[in-house]
């Protein structure tokens, strides 16, 4: 698998680390315990389109959001987590 | 004036040759990292361009100036500037970029190797996950990547024939050995024949330096 880093271009998977599900939302501080348990421990295992966090540790060291299909392995989009990117 | 401490060589041998393929330690130069603060990249680039003749390009391509300076991007919001040894490059850049960028002397933190000769790309390709063909990695292209487990900044000096590895000094000997194993036909880290049988060959306890190395000339 190759990912096209927005900073470094197309690179092999060995340069990246998977850092979790990018779709989870941190609950409000006063949210019920069940919400926090779900946030910390529970993950979906989608078959199809998914959003994931990846870390380009052996390259630019940026955190990336990768939109890919877990069924077909097609990578649709890779962008930096930080919106206000300097070049 | 007090004697300046002379640093030990980062590698035991400054040069090895296999057939026409050579791996050599390159002379030390001043090396400074520039990390522009948010929104300051363009201003820093213009300042450096006016002073040294090279700008902070957003592409991963080294730029050189006739005055002997080079600037290359090596990651997100990080550039390196290289200049003649002893040229007070860090002090100049600190003054130029004051308040607009983090400027740090990296001269002693990194070591440069040149892998040069027919088949250099094939040897480099055993270590780096970068497409080294001319269409993807032309002359002066730069990539911050891994050579095996070792972080390197790879530069193409001549397509397929000459590559430069900029490596943290503490990992220089490991990278040198890995490239040497690759040059001898092995695969670093996964080739038991090369990593054992040839041990006596590449772990030579010698501090001989290549006479072409500047620092040896002074030693
Ligand atoms: Zn990257």
């Amino acid at each position: 698998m190759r990912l096209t880093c927005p900073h470094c271009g197309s690179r092999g998977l060995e340069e990246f680390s998977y850092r979790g599900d990018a779709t989870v939302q941190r609950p409000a501080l006063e949210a019920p315990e069940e919400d926090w348990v779900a946030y910390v421990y529970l993950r979906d295992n989608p078959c199809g389109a998914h959003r994931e966090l990846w870390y380009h540790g052996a390259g630019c060291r940026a955190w990336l959001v990768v939109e890919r299909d877990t069924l077909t392995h097609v990578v649709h989009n890779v962008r930096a987590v930080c919106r206000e990117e300097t070049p | 004036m007090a004697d300046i401490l002379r640093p030990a060589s980062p590698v035991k041998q400054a040069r090895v040759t296999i057939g026409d393929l050579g791996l050599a330690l390159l002379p030390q130069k001043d090396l400074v990292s520039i990390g522009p603060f948010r929104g300051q990249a363009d201003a820093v680039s213009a300042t450096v361009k006016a002073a040294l003749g090279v700008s902070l390009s957003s592409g991963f391509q080294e730029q050189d100036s006739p005055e002997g300076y080079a600037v290359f991007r090596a990651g997100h919001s990080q550039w390196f500037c290289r200049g003649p040894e002893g040229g007070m490059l860090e002090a100049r850049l600190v003054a130029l970029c004051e308040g607009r960028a983090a400027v740090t002397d990296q001269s002693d933190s990194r070591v440069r190797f040149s892998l040069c000769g027919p088949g250099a790309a094939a040897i480099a390709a055993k270590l780096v996950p970068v497409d080294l063909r001319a269409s993807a990695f032309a002359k002066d292209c730069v990539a911050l990547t891994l050579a095996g487990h070792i972080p390197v900044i790879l530069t193409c000096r001549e397509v397929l024939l000459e590559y430069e590895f900029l490596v943290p000094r503490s990992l220089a000997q490991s990278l040198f050995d890995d490239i040497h194993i690759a040059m001898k036909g092995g695969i670093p880290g996964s080739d038991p024949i090369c990593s054992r049988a040839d041990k006596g060959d590449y772990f030579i306890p010698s501090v001989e330096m290549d006479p072409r190395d500047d620092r040896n000339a002074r030693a």
Side-chain angles (χ1 to χ4, degrees), chain A residues 7-8 11 14-15 58-60 84-87, chain B residues 38-39 60 73 76-77 79 129 143-146:
Chain A
H7 304 129
C8 308
R11 297 297 184 87
E14 58 268 54
E15 292 192 6
C60 60
E84 297 170 47
E85 296 294 317
T86 47
Chain B
R38 189 181 294 273
F60 287 92
R73 186 181 169 202
H76 175 53
S77 212
W79 283 264
L144 171 66
T145 182
L146 286 176

Side-chain angles (χ1 to χ4, degrees), chain B residues 9-168:
Chain B
S9 172
V11 288
K12 291 167 186 160
Q13 286 173 286
R15 183 180 179 83
V16 292
T17 308
I18 306 281
D20 294 329
L21 199 61
L23 174 65
L25 179 67
L26 292 175
Q28 172 117 6
K29 294 208 173 177
D30 278 12
L31 184 70
V32 176
S33 63
I34 306 172
F37 299 146
R38 189 181 294 273
Q40 296 290 327
D42 289 344
V44 170
S45 178
T47 308
V48 173
K49 171 88 179 168
L52 305 181
V54 275
S55 56
L56 275 55
S57 148
S58 62
F60 287 92
Q61 275 219 315
E62 183 173 306
Q63 295 192 6
D64 299 282
S65 76
E67 297 80 32
Y69 294 100
V71 167
F72 54 93
R73 186 181 169 202
H76 175 53
S77 212
Q78 186 181 61
W79 283 264
F80 281 88
C81 182
R82 185 163 47 228
E85 190 186 10
M88 306 294 286
L89 184 60
E90 191 216 8
R92 282 190 74 184
L93 285 168
V94 164
L96 287 167
C97 303
E98 191 168 9
R100 292 183 297 178
V103 173
T104 312
D105 192 350
Q106 305 283 353
S107 309
D108 293 323
S109 80
R110 314 279 171 138
V111 170
R112 285 191 304 153
F113 295 130
S114 164
L115 174 65
C116 183
I123 301 305
K126 291 188 187 183
L127 288 145
V128 296
V130 175
D131 183 349
L132 296 174
R133 290 172 298 173
S135 55
F137 204 65
K139 187 179 186 312
D140 293 329
C141 277
V142 177
L144 171 66
T145 182
L146 286 176
H149 68 288
I150 299 171
V152 294
I153 297 171
L154 181 74
T155 308
C156 176
R157 292 290 169 219
E158 196 175 343
V159 172
L160 303 181
L161 291 177
E162 189 178 356
Y163 295 90
E164 197 175 295
F165 295 78
L166 186 68
V167 59

Side-chain angles (χ1 to χ4, degrees), chain A residues 19-80:
Chain A
R19 302 304 294 163
D21 189 332
T23 63
V24 289
Q25 296 282 329
R26 189 183 176 86
L29 212 55
E30 62 278 7
E33 202 171 69
E34 302 83 71
D35 290 6
W36 277 96
V37 169
Y39 169 67
V40 175
Y41 296 109
L42 303 182
R43 294 291 177 270
D44 292 333
N45 185 17
C47 176
H50 195 32
R51 265 193 301 142
E52 299 168 339
L53 290 170
W54 287 78
Y55 175 63
H56 196 185
C60 60
R61 290 180 281 278
W63 285 70
L64 308 169
V65 176
V66 175
E67 286 175 27
R68 69 180 192 99
D69 194 306
T70 60
L71 184 64
T72 64
H73 303 306
V74 173
V75 177
H76 295 293
N77 183 262
V78 183
R79 61 180 172 80

